[in-house]
Amino acid sequence: MPVNILPIGYSGQSHHGQSSYSSDDLPKTVVMTLNQGSVVKSMDFHPVQQILLLVGTNTRDIMIWELGSREKLAHKNFKVWDLSVFSTPLQAALTSDYTALINRVTWSPDGTLFGVAYSKHIVQIYSYHGGDDVRNHLEIDAHVGSVNDLAFSYPNKQLCIVTCGDDRLIKVWNAVTGFKQYTFEGHEAPVYSVCPHFKETVQFIFSTATDGKIKAWLYDNIGSRVDYDAPGH
């Protein structure tokens, strides 16, 4: 289906990770090519206005594209908002090399916020008000080293940000205040990916590390509930 006439809230989407589709159902024809001039590191479609595409590149550019018109609506480049509030290691790292690559961009569930995870300590959260109206919302010194992934979740009906990093930690932050709510320790290698999930009323987080370990966590301080080895690591 042409991208610019996709219905809002496509009814075929599964909300529980289950799908009856096979690889034969995937589209084989390129509908549209967008060239922003640099390598794409991460992208995410807006959860409500699905013709909006959030893109992060290897040159630290963050863009929002409107696919119907193929117009770039908004453009941001990496810049620390307030270096003075950050930890001494991060200040030193940015003073010697004022660059940080983008590892992940993602929208919040209602599309009013989006987050950016960088290769040096930092997570930035922006609020989005339509068109080119992008505003600074939160800047968090989240991890020591690279922040490898970022996701939004709703534990206790409160919007939170879940991050993971090279410091082998997973952290949960209040999406309004930036206050840290939980720190999960237990991985023995850099944590590469986090995936918040829920089953009935139980909220939890899956995480994967570079040593092939998969863990599952509840929103408490007791530790991981499940430990797997990924096939083939």
Side-chain angles (χ1 to χ4, degrees):
M1 180 180 289
V3 173
N4 59 351
I5 59 169
L6 271 177
I8 300 301
Y10 172 50
S11 60
Q13 289 177 329
S14 168
H15 296 288
H16 301 285
Q18 299 171 345
S19 174
S20 60
Y21 301 125
S22 72
S23 60
D24 294 334
D25 298 312
L26 293 172
K28 304 295 192 294
T29 304
V30 175
V31 175
M32 184 182 303
T33 300
L34 303 173
N35 185 359
Q36 75 290 321
S38 52
V39 175
V40 173
K41 296 287 290 182
S42 179
M43 63 182 185
D44 192 26
F45 285 97
H46 194 283
V48 180
Q49 303 177 66
Q50 295 174 352
I51 57 171
L52 297 181
L53 180 64
L54 176 66
V55 177
T57 78
N58 69 336
T59 54
R60 304 174 297 282
D61 289 306
I62 306 153
M63 290 162 285
I64 299 174
W65 290 85
E66 205 278 344
L67 301 185
S69 63
R70 306 190 189 193
E71 178 186 359
K72 189 190 300 180
L73 297 181
H75 181 197
K76 293 278 186 180
N77 191 263
F78 171 69
K79 182 179 181 180
V80 174
W81 303 343
D82 186 0
L83 186 60
S84 66
V85 303
F86 286 133
S87 63
T88 302
L90 177 55
Q91 290 190 34
L94 290 173
T95 301
S96 61
D97 181 13
Y98 194 79
T99 58
L101 301 179
I102 292 173
N103 286 330
R104 168 74 86 175
V105 294
T106 189
W107 292 102
S108 65
D110 64 358
T112 60
L113 301 173
F114 65 83
V116 187
Y118 291 98
S119 63
K120 287 185 180 177
H121 295 242
I122 295 176
V123 166
Q124 290 179 334
I125 307 298
Y126 293 88
S127 61
Y128 183 62
H129 303 270
D132 62 353
D133 191 355
V134 177
R135 306 175 193 176
N136 298 355
H137 177 61
L138 285 176
E139 187 172 55
I140 302 171
D141 187 352
H143 293 271
V144 177
S146 177
V147 184
N148 295 324
D149 200 10
L150 169 149
F152 289 91
S153 67
Y154 269 114
N156 306 316
K157 299 181 180 179
Q158 183 181 58
L159 183 62
C160 290
I161 304 155
V162 184
T163 63
C164 64
D166 277 358
D167 56 6
R168 307 191 300 276
L169 299 176
I170 301 151
K171 298 182 182 183
V172 180
W173 315 81
N174 183 295
V176 175
T177 64
F179 179 76
K180 184 173 65 178
Q181 296 182 317
Y182 301 99
T183 299
F184 301 140
E185 301 182 46
H187 276 294
E188 298 177 355
V191 188
Y192 187 73
S193 179
V194 287
C195 181
H197 191 57
F198 68 92
K199 186 172 184 180
E200 297 174 350
T201 60
V202 181
Q203 300 268 352
F204 53 97
I205 300 167
F206 282 116
S207 61
T208 62
T210 56
D211 61 358
K213 299 291 184 182
I214 301 172
K215 294 180 181 287
W217 317 77
L218 294 178
Y219 290 85
D220 55 33
N221 297 308
I222 298 177
S224 63
R225 297 309 208 283
V226 175
D227 296 273
Y228 298 106
D229 278 317
H233 292 196

